[in-house]
Amino acid sequence: MGMLLKLSRMIDRLTRLVGQTLIWLILAATLISAANAIARKLFNVGSNAFLEIQWYLFAAVFMLGAGYAFLQNAHVRIDVLANKLSKRTRTLIDIGGILFFLLPMCYLLSVFAWPVLTSAYETGEMSSNAGGLIRWPLFALVPAGFALLALQGISELFKRIAYLAGAGPDPLAHEPDAHAAPPAVTQDTTENAPGEARK
């Protein structure tokens, strides 16, 4: 179990690095959007490449950030139902979801996306818009994103198995220090001297 948790921590570090890097893509998309708008309004100059690079950056954040959302437990849940279940039951449901839905979906979508990516790369497929961008980097985001999501799914699977075995913390806890030992409560038993006011 220790080896599985060590591998899980390595995957988590990779996912966290990717997630923190994607923040800068959002900034880049914002700056490009502002520059494009200013150039169009002030100088009547437009660029389809500027427009498309914004879509590419958004697609990168969306596709490559799915694993980070899973790591942060920020993905969509039906809380009305989930909150009525015990932690063990929710963990078992998560394990089933990862094994029978998430990992097969990531595999199938990556397999289906690969021929589209290779075809676009080999033919040098370009955007149909004048001055548009080459398409294969955009298509590459699909298998890359699902590969990262599958990796994080494996990490989450290991954490949930460890939790059920009593070898790890609850992976569904939202707070990072939810399993830290509560601070020791110390009680001052020193008696006040006669005539001394109690503070």
Side-chain angles (χ1 to χ4, degrees):
M1 192 62 66
M3 287 297 297
L4 295 183
L5 288 176
K6 183 177 180 180
L7 178 59
S8 174
R9 287 192 292 270
M10 292 173 59
I11 295 173
D12 288 352
R13 282 196 292 270
L14 172 63
T15 301
R16 196 170 287 110
L17 176 63
V18 171
Q20 292 170 349
T21 303
L22 292 175
I23 295 172
W24 296 103
L25 297 188
I26 297 174
L27 175 61
T30 303
L31 295 177
I32 291 170
S33 176
N36 195 32
I38 292 171
R40 189 171 60 251
K41 295 295 184 182
L42 295 183
F43 306 107
N44 199 26
V45 175
S47 169
N48 284 328
F50 272 165
L51 290 174
E52 291 187 5
I53 194 63
Q54 295 173 54
W55 305 337
Y56 282 32
L57 292 173
F58 175 78
V61 171
F62 183 82
M63 289 301 306
L64 303 180
Y68 184 69
F70 198 2
L71 172 64
Q72 298 297 320
N73 201 23
H75 53 291
V76 176
R77 290 183 181 276
I78 306 176
D79 290 335
V80 175
L81 298 177
N83 289 339
K84 295 181 180 179
L85 303 174
S86 68
K87 289 184 177 181
R88 179 180 176 82
T89 301
R90 292 171 63 187
T91 302
L92 288 171
I93 291 173
D94 276 0
I95 289 174
I98 292 169
L99 286 175
F100 299 112
F101 294 99
L102 177 66
L103 295 181
M105 179 201 70
C106 290
Y107 171 75
L108 290 174
L109 290 177
S110 296
V111 167
F112 292 150
W114 193 256
V116 178
L117 167 60
T118 55
S119 174
Y121 179 78
E122 291 168 357
T123 61
E125 181 179 344
M126 299 288 296
S127 168
S128 59
N129 298 317
L133 302 176
I134 195 167
R135 285 292 178 88
W136 72 262
L138 181 65
F139 297 152
L141 292 173
V142 177
F146 281 112
L148 289 172
L149 179 57
L151 267 179
Q152 190 57 42
I154 292 170
S155 172
E156 298 301 321
L157 178 64
F158 291 163
K159 285 186 273 191
R160 282 155 177 75
I161 292 173
Y163 172 67
L164 291 180
D170 178 10
L172 299 178
H174 294 279
E175 296 80 13
D177 58 345
H179 304 289
V185 178
T186 57
Q187 187 173 4
D188 186 5
T189 56
T190 306
E191 294 184 6
N192 294 332
E196 183 180 342
R198 184 182 296 272
K199 295 183 180 179

